[in-house]
Structures are given as C-alpha cells and as structure tokens.
Amino acid sequence: MVSLKDRIIHEALRQFSSKGFMSTSISDILESAGASKGGLYNHFKSKEDLFLAALSEARKIWRQRNLAGLNHCDRPLGKLKQILENYRDHYLADSENFPGGCVFVALAVELHDQQPHLAREVTEGFNRFKGMIKRLLDQEQAAGNLRNGVDTSMAAEIIFSGLLGACVSYTSDKSKENLDHTIQGLIDFLTMISR
C-alpha cells in the first residue's frame, strides 16, 4: 500500500514534469493524490518543501533507470554506452513518472530566472552527472583505451549536451525514431574516440 506522503510526492513529480513548478498548484496535486490540505501539511511545510521531496524522488528514479546493469559492464566505455541505452529505453520512456519528459531539464529552464535557488538544486545533479561521464572517460584514458589526444572534458560535454538535446527533442515530438538516431550518434561517438 502506497502511503499518502508517497502519493503526494508521485503526483507532484508527474505534474511538475508536465506543467512545471510554477504552473502546478497545490490543489491540483491534492486532487490527483486524493488528499486534503491537512494531509499535505502533515508531511510538507510548503510547496518548496514538496518540490525538494519530489526532486529527491526524481533523482532516485533517474538512478534506478539509468544506472541499471552497469555492474555487468567490464569497461567504463561499456558503462557509458549502457547509460545511453538506459536513458533511451527506460528513462525517457517512463511516462508514468515523467509524462512531460525529463523533469530535470524542464525545471532547470523554468526556474532559472524565477526561482534560482531551486534551479541550483536541479543543476547540481547535471554537474554530478557530467562529472560521472568524465570520470568514466578518464578511466578509459588511463587504461590506454581512448585515442591519443582525446580531451575527456570536451568528450564529456559532448555526451552530456547530446543527452540534453535528445531529451528536449523527445519531449517536443515524442519521436522514438529521432531519439534512437540521437542516442546511436552518441554511441558512435564513443566508438570513434576509443581504440
């Protein structure tokens, strides 16, 4: 049985994904979750407090979807390819939790000017993800598995930016074909820079 708190977080996440933080009202969330204001305020002090709980849940789902199967990959490059495939097949396709597409991209864009302190919470995750990509590339480079002269910072930026682009494109057109094409391009890029 899902607790009331978890139902509220789940509905907040779904609505923030499709309508954004600013356009989602507490009453919309409560109606969808079948909860009262009292039920909400027993668990969350404010809409911002609920936002932080929903963001934490989104990060948990992101890790479950995108990092699945990495322990079966022998090389760091294999892990990166697995992340790209997971992103395509299990994360962006998750319309149950994220009906509006990648909640992180939507919130970062929306909140940048209006709620910069909340936008920083979102972009902190982007920086950690980009750092993880770079660490995996650095490990490949240290093992002698990348072509000479590959700048791992630049390569990490290309992969990260490509994923953001895939997210925005898929959110706007829901084209699985375009998404497949973009992710395959990033996988081909990894193959190109490896030995």
Side-chain angles (χ1 to χ4, degrees):
M1 181 82 174
V2 179
S3 72
L4 176 61
K5 180 178 181 181
D6 288 341
R7 271 200 336 265
I8 292 170
I9 291 171
H10 178 73
E11 283 307 321
L13 188 54
R14 287 178 52 79
Q15 296 204 24
F16 293 160
S17 164
S18 56
K19 295 192 290 189
F21 175 74
M22 303 298 283
S23 295
T24 299
S25 71
I26 290 293
S27 58
D28 291 339
I29 295 167
L30 293 177
E31 184 179 327
S32 295
S36 66
K37 279 196 177 186
L40 174 84
Y41 291 112
N42 282 336
H43 299 289
F44 306 101
K45 293 179 279 196
S46 63
K47 184 179 176 185
E48 192 171 305
D49 192 32
L50 175 56
F51 169 85
L52 295 173
L55 186 61
S56 176
E57 180 65 13
R59 287 176 174 152
K60 182 177 129 192
I61 293 167
W62 186 95
R63 286 189 301 273
Q64 289 169 345
R65 301 283 190 279
N66 291 303
L67 305 182
L70 295 194
N71 54 340
H72 300 298
C73 301
D74 295 334
R75 290 178 46 190
L77 207 61
K79 291 180 182 187
L80 277 173
K81 288 178 181 178
Q82 184 69 54
I83 289 169
L84 292 170
E85 290 169 0
N86 287 344
Y87 193 89
R88 176 192 64 208
D89 300 334
H90 305 294
Y91 176 67
L92 281 181
D94 182 1
S95 59
E96 167 57 29
N97 291 300
F98 309 115
C102 178
V103 70
F104 304 110
V105 171
L107 290 173
V109 171
E110 175 198 16
L111 298 174
H112 177 73
D113 291 327
Q114 299 183 44
Q115 300 281 338
H117 66 292
L118 296 181
R120 278 191 296 277
E121 290 288 331
V122 177
T123 56
E124 175 189 319
F126 290 159
N127 293 331
R128 285 195 308 260
F129 181 41
K130 201 184 306 183
M132 181 178 84
I133 295 169
K134 184 176 183 319
R135 279 190 303 279
L136 290 168
L137 290 169
D138 287 343
Q139 291 168 8
E140 280 290 325
Q141 194 168 54
N145 294 329
L146 293 185
R147 292 183 180 274
N148 290 338
V150 170
D151 180 336
T152 57
S153 293
M154 186 61 68
E157 193 66 49
I158 289 168
I159 294 163
F160 177 77
S161 297
L163 278 175
L164 289 186
C167 173
V168 171
S169 178
Y170 184 71
T171 299
S172 68
D173 66 14
K174 297 290 190 264
S175 168
K176 184 82 168 83
E177 184 180 336
N178 289 343
L179 178 61
D180 289 345
H181 185 72
T182 302
I183 297 299
Q184 189 57 53
L186 293 172
I187 290 171
D188 291 348
F189 170 73
L190 288 174
T191 302
M192 220 171 56
I193 66 172
S194 68
R195 290 182 190 245

